[in-house]
Amino acid sequence: MPEINQQRVVEILNQILESELAGVVRYTHYSFLVFGFGRIPIVAWLREQADESLLHAQQAGEWITTLGAYPSLEIGPLLDSHTFDIGSILRESLESEKLALEHYRTLLREVEGRSIALEEYARQMIHVEELHAGEVDKMLRRPGAVSTLPDPGPAKDLL
Ligand SMILES: [Fe+2]
């Protein structure tokens, strides 16, 4: 089995760590901004996502130190569209989740055939993140509709 490119793998793992940490901040931030009848279950769901992102960040960080490298203390990009409507919050989350998913796919390509453990980790994360993206996509559909709603464009400024 050929060796992994340690430096490249750590670089990708750090990107994963940073984007998952951004997820913790993003979901926590959004959880403060949900108002109306649906508030309680939606806030609970957003906080669950924050916890899951933290777990994913911890897993990436553990891999980095397993490989004998230093984990990044940076955090991935955060958008603040200042929109309070759930549709915009979910669409913004979906975009960021797709970015994280891309990092896991890059990791898989990098370690495929070189490290079974890292390959398993990347595949498992792709599985989890794809299910998550699918779930968010379904939340963006109108009840009774099977296909995804088109993005209505930037929401009106509510501030
Ligand atoms: Fe994640």
Side-chain angles (χ1 to χ4, degrees):
M1 211 180 229
E3 294 262 304
I4 55 163
N5 178 339
Q6 191 102 352
Q7 203 189 331
R8 179 69 189 129
V9 169
V10 167
E11 200 180 287
I12 302 164
L13 283 167
N14 267 320
Q15 283 168 345
I16 291 172
L17 172 59
E18 289 175 12
S19 74
E20 294 288 8
L21 283 177
V24 178
V25 176
R26 195 179 51 250
Y27 285 119
T28 304
H29 174 76
Y30 286 153
S31 76
F32 303 136
L33 299 172
V34 180
F35 307 115
F37 297 125
R39 178 178 154 78
I40 290 170
I42 295 171
V43 167
W45 184 83
L46 288 167
R47 301 227 165 120
E48 254 172 51
Q49 303 316 303
D51 290 346
E52 202 179 302
S53 281
L54 180 59
L55 177 69
H56 294 174
Q58 289 163 346
Q59 286 170 320
E62 288 296 342
W63 262 114
I64 294 166
T65 51
T66 297
L67 295 171
Y70 189 76
S72 165
L73 199 59
E74 300 289 310
I75 180 165
L78 284 164
L79 280 171
D80 190 354
S81 56
H82 283 280
T83 47
F84 293 1
D85 80 286
I86 310 300
S88 304
I89 289 176
L90 290 177
R91 261 185 291 276
E92 208 174 303
S93 302
L94 196 55
E95 280 314 303
S96 312
E97 292 289 346
K98 279 182 186 161
L99 245 142
L101 187 55
E102 268 321 300
H103 292 317
Y104 286 112
R105 289 210 176 103
T106 308
L107 178 69
L108 179 62
R109 281 194 296 273
E110 188 60 36
V111 298
E112 222 162 14
R114 292 161 191 264
S115 159
I116 290 168
L118 276 166
E119 211 181 303
E120 284 294 307
Y121 162 67
R123 283 183 196 282
Q124 194 191 323
M125 296 314 294
I126 291 167
H127 176 211
V128 170
E129 300 290 2
E130 275 190 14
L131 288 181
H132 180 230
E135 199 57 48
V136 176
D137 185 74
K138 285 181 196 177
M139 287 164 84
L140 282 165
R141 295 178 200 178
R142 191 167 284 129
V146 176
S147 60
T148 309
L149 282 174
D151 186 343
K156 286 187 194 80
D157 198 355
L158 298 173
L159 287 179

